[in-house]
Amino acid sequence: MSFTKYIFYITVITFTFCLSFPAFADNSGQVQNHTFTTFAQGWVKKLNINHINGISHIKIIQNTDGSFLARYHYIDPSSISCSVKSSKSKRSRFVGLLKYIENVYECSAPSKKLALEGKFKVSKAMRVTEIFSNNGKGWR
C-alpha cells in the first residue's frame, strides 16, 4: 500500500470516528444540531408519557353545577423547534434551545364517565422554552 493511500484511509477513518461522537464534531454545530433535535424529540416523548397532568393522569373536577370537567396536558410533537449555539463557557460547549407548544385539553359532561369518553378540545396553548447544555458528554 502506498503512503498516499495509507494517509487517505487514516483520514477517512478519523473523519468517520469524529462524526460518530458529537464531542469531536465540527465547531459549526451541524452535528450538534442533529443530536440535539434527536434528544429533544425523545425528551418531549418522555414528557408526554410522564407528565403529572398528562393523558395517563387525566384530572377530573366537579363543577358547581354538578357537571364534570376532565383535563390533561399534551405537547404537540409537530410544534417542536430546536436551535443550537456554541457557547464561550468552558463547562458547556453548546447550548440548545427547545421550544414547543403544550396544549391543555378539556371535556365537560354531566358524568365522570362521559367527561372521560367525550371529545376533548384545546382550552389553552402555552409556548414553552427549555434550555439545555452539552459539555461533550451529551445533552443535559
Side-chain angles (χ1 to χ4, degrees):
M1 178 182 314
S2 72
F3 182 73
T4 307
K5 281 186 178 179
Y6 178 76
I7 295 298
F8 173 76
Y9 289 130
I10 293 296
T11 304
V12 169
I13 291 168
T14 304
F15 181 72
T16 304
F17 174 80
C18 290
L19 287 180
S20 300
F21 296 94
F24 298 102
D26 64 340
N27 289 332
S28 71
Q30 182 178 6
V31 172
Q32 289 296 331
N33 198 21
H34 175 72
T35 60
F36 181 66
T37 300
T38 302
F39 165 80
Q41 291 168 342
W43 180 255
V44 167
K45 186 176 180 179
K46 285 179 190 176
L47 289 176
N48 276 332
I49 291 169
N50 298 316
H51 196 297
I52 195 164
N53 293 318
I55 195 163
S56 58
H57 301 96
I58 296 176
K59 302 288 184 212
I60 300 175
I61 303 163
Q62 187 169 13
N63 296 318
T64 55
D65 65 357
S67 66
F68 292 86
L69 177 71
R71 177 185 297 143
Y72 69 91
H73 293 230
Y74 182 76
I75 299 168
D76 180 4
S78 69
S79 71
I80 295 173
S81 167
C82 299
S83 63
V84 175
K85 297 180 182 181
S86 59
S87 170
K88 294 179 182 178
S89 169
K90 292 178 183 177
R91 298 181 79 196
S92 176
R93 292 181 39 186
F94 294 96
V95 174
L97 292 177
L98 167 59
K99 296 179 181 183
Y100 55 82
I101 296 175
E102 182 175 335
N103 293 316
V104 178
Y105 290 86
E106 293 182 341
C107 179
S108 188
S111 71
K112 286 183 183 181
K113 184 178 182 198
L114 291 175
L116 286 170
E117 295 172 352
K119 185 175 180 182
F120 284 80
K121 294 182 181 179
V122 176
S123 64
K124 185 188 234 182
M126 299 171 286
R127 166 72 56 195
V128 178
T129 301
E130 293 191 53
I131 302 171
F132 297 88
S133 64
N134 187 334
N135 61 3
K137 296 180 182 178
W139 291 99
R140 302 184 197 304

